[in-house]
């Protein structure tokens, strides 16, 4: 069993390990050990690793695809071997988390494929109260290093993640591991620098009385890898050994509490409504955008979605315009097929930037004021193309479901507006249940009502009230067992019809292809359309 563990305060003034020694940092003495060195990665376990017992051990394996088990023969990674080692030492062993995979009797975990440190931080305050672990095993940062993503701040972000865990649950045991190596030279150099500072990060939290321990994965070598990042079975056995010794040391030190009080997480914020056809490259398929609180937008181009053509990372689509993310909307206002960047003020005023390809891909043209508002607050404004000219129009949606419309002839200073008047008189449903989407590929946004259980009823837009009227379609979707606040509508396969999506709090999207809807051609289940990018669902637009 191979690991070197640091539990205790680093000696005052002790230098950080250099990058060259990062894979086997020399730990400082642990109180009560007499100052002797901890086990080296190749050494046998100490006596504490054999003779310990705890009444309850609820373990949350937390990380990315390595925690998920990528590269292992049974899909469990280190979790299978670790379970076998831990089981004799407790009468109540439980792996916990919101994900389940692999051939293991208890496959629960929080190993999110492709995620970075920030993704875990954005979701951990919800996962902990739901799963109720007393021990967290943390291996995260590989994707930050591999993607060269803000590597200078990665240790700080890792520390903030640990702090979020221990702030929510001060008695939680958190075992933070160094990263396994990579065969990619650049990635490995970044991993070594990152690994070198983790012992100090852990020690600083121990001085504050937190039960945070360091687990060295230095026994895992590049010979144990299945590809450039993920271990094969031999590497996962070594990871299991390392985490086992970490848990054993924590148990011997009395860290593991049978029950840990966990503060309830903050309910996830909902993405604001109002986006219409979030297609940024004009290929007819809705893309996946993440809008940060400062208005910066990152994008992933939809080539068909997960398992159906995949995604292309676009990078930064917009650097922002000084407005917060909750004021940002997307809609095609000039009929070129590409969603433009809009900011919607509290008084209904809209400013626009025309999408010429986005940051680094053709840039933006500042349009100025697109709409001066109509005396209605911004939270009642929606954008949708109601007359099939390709340009998103300006709608106001009242609390009783009544919709008034102004046709976009180019917008303020660019052709102006035509007041249509009442576009829809409502159907007896409140405004917060109304959505707009083109469900029959005629180019005109239809009127949908979305119930709390995900059921959707539809009225086909023949021109709207006083301009051709409406056709009641009835039930468009019976729902898929997800609540209505998780449902989105977007054309993901470029057939002109809005499909039925569910957006989870962790950014995962599942999709059902619209063949006409319930009673009119039905649906095709696509499955997982997007696995997420480590950002919470409230930041996702699609």
């Amino acid at each position: 069993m191979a690991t070197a563990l640091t539990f205790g305060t680093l000696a005052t003034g002790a230098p950080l390990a250099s990058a060259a020694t990062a894979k086997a940092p020399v730990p400082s003495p642990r109180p009560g050990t007499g100052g002797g060195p901890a086990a080296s990665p190749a050494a046998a376990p100490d006596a504490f690793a054999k003779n310990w017992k705890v009444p309850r051990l609820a373990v949350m394996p937390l990380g990315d695809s390595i925690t998920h088990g990528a590269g292992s023969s049974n899909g469990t990674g280190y979790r299978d071997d670790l379970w076998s080692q831990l089981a004799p030492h407790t009468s109540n062993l439980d792996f916990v988390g919101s994900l389940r995979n692999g051939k293991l009797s208890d496959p629960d975990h929080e190993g999110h494929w492709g995620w970075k440190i920030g993704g875990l931080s954005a979701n951990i305050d919800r996962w902990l109260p739901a799963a109720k672990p007393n021990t967290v095993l943390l291996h995260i940062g590989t994707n930050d290093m591999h993607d060269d993503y803000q590597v200078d701040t990665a240790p700080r972000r890792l520390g903030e993640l640990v702090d979020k865990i221990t702030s929510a649950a001060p008695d939680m045991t958190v075992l933070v591991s160094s990263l396994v190596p990579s065969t990619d030279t650049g990635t490995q150099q970044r991993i070594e620098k990152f690994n070198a500072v983790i012992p100090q990060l852990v020690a600083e939290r121990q001085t504050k009385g937190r039960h945070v321990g360091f687990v060295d994965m230095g026994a895992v070598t590049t010979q144990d890898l299945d590809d450039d990042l993920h271990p094969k079975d031999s590497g996962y056995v070594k990871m299991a050994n390392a985490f086992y010794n970490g848990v054993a040391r924590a148990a011997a030190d009395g860290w593991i509490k049978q029950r840990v009080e966990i503060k309830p997480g903050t309910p996830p914020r909902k993405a604001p409504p109002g986006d219409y056809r979030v297609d940024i490259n004009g290929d007819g398929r809705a893309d996946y955008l993440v809008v940060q609180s400062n208005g910066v937008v990152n994008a992933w181009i939809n080539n068909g979605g997960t398992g159906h053509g995949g995604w292309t990372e676009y990078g930064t689509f917009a650097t922002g315009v000084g407005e917060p993310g909750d004021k940002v909307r997307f809609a095609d206002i000039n009929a070129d097929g590409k969603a433009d960047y809009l900011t919607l003020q509290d008084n209904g005023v809209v400013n626009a930037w025309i999408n010429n390809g986005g940051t680094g891909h053709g840039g933006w043209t500042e349009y100025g004021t697109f709409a001066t508002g109509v005396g209605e607050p911004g939270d009642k404004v929606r954008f949708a193309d109601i007359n099939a000219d390709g340009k998103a129009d300006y709608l106001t949606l009242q609390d009783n479901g009544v919709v008034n419309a102004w046709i976009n002839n180019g917008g303020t200073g660019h052709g102006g507006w035509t007041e249509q008047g009442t576009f829809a008189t409502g159907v007896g449903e409140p405004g917060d249940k109304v959505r707009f989407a083109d469900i029959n590929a005629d180019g005109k946004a239809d009127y949908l009502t979305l119930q709390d259980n995900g059921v959707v009823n539809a009225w086909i837009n023949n021109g709207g009230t006083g301009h051709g009227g409406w056709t009641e379609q009835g039930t468009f979707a019976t729902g898929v067992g997800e609540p209505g606040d998780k449902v989105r509508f977007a054309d993901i396969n470029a057939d002109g019809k809005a499909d039925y999506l569910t957006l989870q709090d962790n950014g995962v999207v599942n999709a059902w292809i619209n063949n006409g809807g319930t009673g009119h051609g039905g649906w095709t289940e696509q499955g997982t359309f997007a696995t997420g990018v480590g950002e919470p669902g409230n930041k996702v637009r699609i």
Side-chain angles (χ1 to χ4, degrees):
M1 297 180 183
T3 184
L5 303 170
T6 302
F7 288 78
T9 306
L10 286 176
T12 302
L16 295 178
S18 67
T21 62
K23 293 177 68 176
V26 178
S28 57
R30 182 175 68 90
T33 63
S40 69
D46 291 334
F48 66 80
K50 299 179 180 179
N51 302 311
W52 61 277
K53 196 86 171 179
V54 292
R56 174 178 179 265
L57 188 56
V59 177
M60 175 182 281
L62 178 62
D64 50 33
S65 56
I66 294 174
T67 300
H68 194 280
S72 62
S73 60
N74 63 2
T76 64
Y78 70 77
R79 293 178 285 118
D80 190 11
D81 287 294
L82 180 60
W83 174 277
S84 299
Q85 294 184 61
L86 295 176
H89 297 276
T90 179
S91 56
N92 186 1
L93 177 60
D94 187 15
F95 280 6
V96 299
S98 63
L99 303 179
R100 296 173 59 86
N101 79 282
K103 297 178 180 179
L104 176 63
S105 60
D106 188 357
D108 299 334
H109 64 94
E110 290 292 357
H112 295 264
W113 205 286
W115 282 32
K116 298 180 175 68
I117 297 168
L120 302 189
S121 290
N123 291 277
I124 191 62
D125 60 349
R126 294 185 300 100
W127 293 334
L128 289 176
K132 298 179 175 59
N134 58 14
T135 304
V136 173
L137 308 182
L138 179 59
H139 181 281
I140 190 64
T142 297
N143 291 306
D144 302 72
M145 300 302 109
H146 181 259
D147 296 347
D148 200 6
Y149 177 76
Q150 300 180 6
V151 294
D152 290 341
T153 63
R156 174 179 60 77
R157 289 182 282 115
L158 177 64
E160 290 171 351
L161 169 58
V162 174
D163 291 342
K164 287 192 75 171
I165 297 172
T166 56
S167 294
D171 290 330
M172 186 73 69
T173 294
V174 184
L175 304 183
V176 186
S177 82
S178 59
L179 300 181
V180 299
S182 170
T183 57
D184 177 78
T185 301
T187 300
Q188 178 59 20
Q189 290 173 347
R190 292 186 286 271
I191 285 175
E192 289 175 353
K193 292 178 66 176
F194 180 71
N195 282 348
V197 299
I198 296 178
Q200 181 70 46
L201 179 152
V202 167
E204 289 170 354
R205 281 141 184 91
Q206 287 183 15
T207 61
K208 299 176 181 178
R210 300 303 196 195
H211 296 165
V212 180
F214 171 68
V215 174
D216 188 355
M217 291 296 169
V220 182
T221 71
T222 54
Q223 299 301 310
D224 295 310
L225 299 184
D226 182 64
D227 53 26
D228 63 333
L229 294 176
H230 302 96
K232 56 187 177 183
D233 287 347
S234 63
Y236 281 123
V237 168
K238 293 178 180 179
M239 289 189 71
N241 292 344
F243 274 131
Y244 168 78
N245 270 6
V247 174
R249 171 81 75 175
D253 284 354
W255 281 10
I256 299 176
K257 307 298 182 184
Q258 184 171 354
R259 300 288 175 184
V260 173
E261 182 178 352
I262 302 172
K263 299 175 184 177
T266 304
R269 293 177 293 121
K270 299 177 183 178
D275 298 327
Y276 185 70
R277 292 181 177 166
V278 184
D279 172 14
I280 68 169
N281 63 344
D283 65 357
R285 296 192 294 266
D287 302 305
Y288 188 104
L289 310 186
V290 174
V291 182
Q292 303 299 329
S293 58
N294 59 359
V296 172
V297 183
N298 294 299
W300 286 259
I301 300 296
N302 169 15
N303 301 316
T306 304
H308 296 270
W311 299 89
T312 299
E313 185 170 357
Y314 204 68
T316 301
F317 172 56
T319 55
V321 294
E323 294 284 353
D326 61 6
K327 294 190 182 303
V328 175
R329 302 292 186 273
F330 300 95
D332 179 9
I333 66 170
N334 64 344
D336 66 356
K338 299 193 295 286
D340 304 303
Y341 186 106
L342 314 180
T343 59
L344 174 61
Q345 303 303 316
D346 294 337
N347 60 359
V349 172
V350 182
N351 292 298
W353 287 259
I354 300 297
N355 170 15
N356 302 316
T359 304
H361 297 270
W364 300 90
T365 299
E366 185 170 357
Y367 205 68
T369 301
F370 172 56
T372 55
V374 294
E376 294 283 356
D379 62 6
K380 295 187 183 301
V381 174
R382 303 292 185 271
F383 303 97
D385 179 10
I386 66 171
N387 64 344
D389 65 356
K391 300 192 294 286
D393 303 304
Y394 187 104
L395 314 181
T396 60
L397 174 61
Q398 304 303 316
D399 293 339
N400 59 0
V402 172
V403 182
N404 293 297
W406 287 258
I407 300 297
N408 170 15
N409 301 316
T412 304
H414 297 269
W417 300 89
T418 299
E419 184 172 357
Q420 172 155 341
T422 301
F423 172 56
T425 56
V427 293
E429 293 285 353
D432 63 3
K433 295 191 181 303
V434 174
R435 302 292 186 271
F436 302 98
D438 179 10
I439 65 171
N440 63 344
D442 65 356
K444 299 191 294 287
D446 303 304
Y447 187 105
L448 313 181
T449 60
L450 174 61
Q451 304 303 315
D452 293 339
N453 60 359
V455 172
V456 182
N457 293 297
W459 287 259
I460 300 297
N461 171 15
N462 301 317
T465 303
H467 296 269
W470 300 89
T471 299
E472 185 171 357
Q473 172 155 340
T475 300
F476 171 57
T478 56
V480 294
E482 294 283 355
D485 62 5
K486 295 189 184 303
V487 174
R488 301 293 185 273
F489 302 97
D491 179 10
I492 66 171
N493 63 344
D495 66 355
K497 300 192 295 286
D499 304 303
Y500 186 105
L501 315 180
T502 60
L503 172 61
Q504 304 302 317
D505 294 336
N506 60 3
V508 172
V509 181
N510 293 297
W512 288 258
I513 300 297
N514 171 14
N515 302 317
T518 303
H520 296 270
W523 301 90
T524 298
E525 184 171 358
Q526 171 152 344
T528 301
F529 172 57
T531 55
V533 294
E535 295 283 357
N538 68 74
K539 295 187 178 184
V540 174
R541 312 290 181 83
I542 192 164

